[in-house]
Amino acid sequence: MPSSTTNRRSAVVVALCFAVLIFDGYDLIIYGATVPDLLAYQPWHLTTASTGLLGSLALFGIVVGALGASTLAAKFTRRKAILISLIWFSCAMALTAAAPSPWLFGVGRVLAGLGLGAAIPTCITVTADFSRGGRKNLNNAIMFSGYAVGGIFSSLLALALLPHVGFRVMFAFGAVPLLLVPILLKWLPESPADLIRLGRTAEAAAVAQRYGLTAVATSDEPVAAPSIWRGRTGMATVFFCLAGVFGQLLIYGMNTWLPQIMRLAGYSLTSSLAFLVAINTGAIVGSVGSAPLADRFGARSVAAGSFAAAMIALVVLGVGGAPTPVLLVLVAVVGFGSIGSLTLLYGFIGIYYPAASRAAAMSATFGIARIGAVVATLGGGGFLALNLPTTWNFLAWVLPALLGAIAVLTVPAATADRAAVLSRERG
């Protein structure tokens, strides 16, 4: 089959997962944009502390959802797991929008987090499943940039509409992904790895041929996923999880607290939100631009390099004195080194593990990594409350960037046998 045809079919899968992640990013980041309106909503009498707690609830749900993503995919299939997750978080966003009390609002955020947490690692896994050799990192970067696009969209939409419609409409918009369900049912295929696990090897071979993939097994028996926590593979999983934790510390430390850091540095609210747009734009441009390098030279070195880029940019930001255009560029580099490093890390995982255990590895890494998000969200506010000089508000995030780079570089190389298996799967 012509490669252009199979590439187009794979591109459809990437585009569908990209669309799911746009709303995933929107649903997560819209909360920060609506905090001022929540604080001003007199019937609820919220304080800064209570809104901080409400903001962290979705993250706790995400940890549970991400850790359960592989179980959901194993019980059903990866395709069905995406559909279930999307329907779940869309309905939860509608519940959040209609919540008559802060307590039910918090319940809605936890429930939304469960679906959001399960959707992201499953979309990453499916993208890896349908990416041919030499395009896995690029396809993953394009797909995962949907999260940052959703973040930018939520910021711009809040700037335009929030003063006129209030927070409820902004959360109600999170139910729009339900319109994607019939499209996903028609165009999103079952992964060959799932079909083989279920013993449907003829269908797996047909899907693999249709999308120009290499069949991952030929036996008529279902394939059991090898453990991701044993031996050398277990060591790799530990270091992937550590790198994920440090990456999430950077992402949520910056996306949650950067506007406030810039406010403390003397910038207006509008300028501070411009820095938030810059960090997500840098994540998109940097991730997609560096992905071909990862496909050519290896995801390990490029992912470590992205962490290092964030570290250097944060040091320069901490020193201060640069004009605003230079600051925007530096913040964009931080976006590449935070969100971009995680994008490359997940691409690395998609290449490192065989198809049978890929979903489990992605689920574990993404779920455990969210510990960093919780720490950054809850701890970042406490750190800012110390009223330290602006320099330290930037330098505090240098350590996670350094440790993230070290963790990626410490992942052990694949054994010769496993490298041969992965090479065959990549075609």
Side-chain angles (χ1 to χ4, degrees):
M1 185 175 296
S3 60
S4 59
T5 301
T6 57
N7 284 341
R8 283 197 298 271
R9 289 171 178 166
S10 294
V12 170
V13 175
V14 174
L16 292 174
C17 292
F18 173 88
V20 173
L21 258 64
I22 286 177
F23 287 100
D24 200 298
Y26 175 90
D27 291 356
L28 280 174
I29 298 175
I30 193 61
Y31 180 81
T34 58
V35 164
D37 199 60
L38 286 167
L39 288 170
Y41 189 58
Q42 290 299 320
W44 285 3
H45 304 291
L46 294 174
T47 65
T48 302
S50 58
T51 53
L53 176 61
L54 287 174
S56 67
L57 291 177
L59 298 178
F60 286 106
I62 286 172
V63 171
V64 177
L67 291 174
S70 62
T71 302
L72 184 66
K75 182 174 177 61
F76 300 100
T77 62
R78 295 167 192 180
R79 173 178 180 265
K80 291 177 182 176
I82 290 176
L83 285 162
I84 292 170
S85 301
L86 181 127
I87 293 170
W88 182 280
F89 73 67
S90 298
C91 293
M93 287 295 286
L95 171 65
T96 304
S101 68
W103 183 83
L104 284 176
F105 182 92
V107 170
R109 291 302 286 164
V110 173
L111 293 176
L114 292 173
L116 296 170
I120 296 179
T122 311
C123 284
I124 296 171
T125 303
V126 169
T127 298
D129 288 345
F130 285 91
S131 297
R132 301 173 67 191
R135 291 186 61 90
K136 285 185 180 289
N137 282 290
L138 178 59
N139 285 352
N140 180 69
I142 293 171
M143 185 279 303
F144 199 72
S145 66
Y147 177 88
V149 170
I152 293 173
F153 182 59
S154 67
S155 300
L156 296 178
L157 197 65
L159 281 172
L161 298 182
L162 185 60
H164 309 289
V165 300
F167 71 90
R168 293 190 184 278
V169 173
M170 306 307 297
F171 282 96
F173 193 79
V176 169
L178 290 172
L179 299 176
L180 287 176
V181 172
I183 300 174
L184 291 170
L185 285 171
K186 180 175 178 59
W187 295 107
L188 186 65
E190 297 282 10
S191 292
D194 282 328
L195 296 172
I196 290 169
R197 175 175 57 82
L198 297 172
R200 296 156 58 182
T201 54
E203 292 179 57
V207 172
Q209 182 181 24
R210 180 174 175 78
Y211 287 86
L213 309 172
T214 302
V216 297
T218 56
S219 169
D220 290 333
E221 296 298 322
V223 176
S227 173
I228 62 170
W229 297 107
R230 270 193 222 126
R232 194 180 183 88
T233 300
M235 288 179 58
T237 303
V238 169
F239 286 113
F240 276 128
C241 289
L242 286 173
V245 169
F246 297 131
Q248 291 286 353
L249 270 167
L250 276 177
I251 290 173
Y252 279 84
M254 291 292 97
N255 267 302
T256 303
W257 300 114
L258 181 63
Q260 184 61 19
I261 291 173
M262 301 312 294
R263 291 287 303 275
L264 293 173
Y267 290 87
S268 67
L269 176 61
T270 302
S271 297
S272 298
L273 289 174
F275 284 105
L276 195 59
V277 172
I279 200 170
N280 284 285
T281 302
I284 296 170
V285 175
S287 299
V288 176
S290 63
L293 297 176
D295 281 322
R296 183 171 181 180
F297 299 108
R300 180 198 306 273
S301 57
V302 181
S306 68
F307 272 116
M311 181 177 64
I312 294 170
L314 286 165
V315 170
V316 177
L317 284 166
V319 171
T324 299
V326 175
L327 291 177
L328 286 169
V329 172
L330 290 170
V331 167
V333 173
V334 173
F336 163 57
S338 55
I339 299 175
S341 65
L342 262 292
T343 302
L344 292 164
L345 181 72
Y346 295 138
F348 189 9
I349 294 170
I351 293 172
Y352 191 90
Y353 292 87
S357 58
R358 189 175 294 142
M362 203 71 72
S363 174
T365 303
F366 191 84
I368 294 173
R370 285 291 170 165
I371 295 172
V374 174
V375 172
T377 303
L378 295 179
F383 185 81
L384 290 179
L386 296 176
N387 293 317
L388 297 173
T390 301
T391 297
W392 288 103
N393 290 336
F394 286 108
L395 295 183
W397 304 102
V398 170
L399 183 60
L402 173 62
L403 295 176
I406 293 172
V408 171
L409 292 173
T410 313
V411 173
T415 62
D417 289 343
R418 193 161 88 253
V421 171
L422 295 172
S423 179
R424 287 195 299 271
E425 287 184 7
R426 293 196 291 267

